Amino acid sequence: MLYYSTQRTAPLVNFREATLRGQSPDKGLYFPETIPALSTHFLTTLKQKPKEEVAFEVIKPYTGNCLSDEELYNICAFTVAFDIPLKPITEKIFSLELFHGPTLAFKDVGARFMSRCLSSFSKKEGKKTTVLVATSGDTGSAVANGFGGAEGVEVVILYPSGKVSRVQELQLTTMGQNIIALEVAGTFDDCQHMVKQAFADRLLNEKLLLTSANSINVARWLPQQFYYFFAWQQWPFAEAPIICVPSGNFGNIAAGMVAAKSGLPVKKFVAACNANHVFVDYLQSGKYAPAGTTATLSNAMDVGNPSNFVRILEIYENNFSALQRHVSAYSISDEETLHTIKKVWAQHSYLLDPHGAVGYAALERELVKNNFAAGLFLETAHPVKFNETVTRATGVNPPLPQHISQLLRAQKNAVAIDATYPALREFLLHRT
Ligand SMILES: *Cc1c(COP(=O)(O)O)cnc(C)c1O
């Protein structure tokens, strides 16, 4: 399998190179040349297969011969080594709980997969790799955890000062070792922009072997398909589900769309957005108008210019009416988010986190339009990660898992920098 750049002015690369580079040299995103069709046999026997086997078979065409079967199987087994249950909330609404990994959010899946791939490639390359990540919270913690102690890999994480939760900040500033946290005086979009500029900086890239661990990176993005298959394994109806994905950079939903294109039964996708509604507007008008970021309670989705938007255009081959038929999008306010957390707790004793609440509310709106349909939403984070909001909505204090209570006693360790590219460049070139 080869990958092309969505800008179409860079050479094709294999999985290994796409992973090591992160972004293509022409500032595009790598995209697989073909999306493999899964065999009918695979799809009909899927429900009986163990998770790691499903993961292996789904991802194998994408990694090609860059990893041996044994290596890939081990990476897959490590990646999915925690529960991913589908829980009913109502008769029609199910929650796919993606928060049972070490940092309590879905990004653990992609980060674990990518860290193992990168370690293997760096070893073969005999050269140290620097992973550069912009995070609105959860990416950084998942990457810090997934890459902590990985030999031959150094990780530099940029996060917007004051715009991540306390637990998130501690998760990404307390790993130490090969993990460096940069506290940026700006927004997540600023962080993302700085990282993009670093990748486009030829001189810098001659000095450092830089890669990204954002969903820009194919090794983080593509394994996110796994749990859409796990959802289908647990889906109790014959009819395909409507799948609702709380979305920020749109990597997660784009991975689901790839899975559907490969043959996974999905009736429709719903992009659940907070006040950052650039994609909602796009589906209505056909015009994509990136905007600034609005801060919300579901901060991991505060993105004004989603980087995976271009991949969605590739998946739907720029066919706007097909996209409009298969995908809906809703913008959910903070007020409705709080109301949803409160309502679902009161009526169904299910504790949502703010991102899952945006998903639940958007799915409800879509189901109203689709009589008798059933759907699932991705519960992307554990409510305890956002306990201030959850407590505010319900009066309930979600119990702290053991490793989080330990974390709350840890000492934050971050380097403060300005939200400008020269500040980042200076840091990368001149730190010792
Ligand atoms: C990152 C994140 C999202 C958004 O995912 P994208 O792939 O960027 O669309 C949603 N919820 C949580 C909890 C996240 O951490």
Side-chain angles (χ1 to χ4, degrees), residues 107 134-140 158-160 163-165 168 172 188 214 249 299-303:
K107 292 189 176 78
T135 185
S136 53
D138 286 343
T139 298
L158 287 76
Y159 72 98
K163 295 189 177 65
V164 302
S165 78
Q168 284 176 327
L172 57 91
F188 170 61
N214 287 85
N249 255 323
N299 65 29
M301 290 151 53
D302 293 349
V303 182

Side-chain angles (χ1 to χ4, degrees), residues 105-107 138 246-252 300-301 355 380-381:
F106 80 91
K107 292 189 176 78
D138 286 343
S247 294
N249 255 323
F250 282 71
N252 208 5
M301 290 151 53
H355 305 79
T380 49

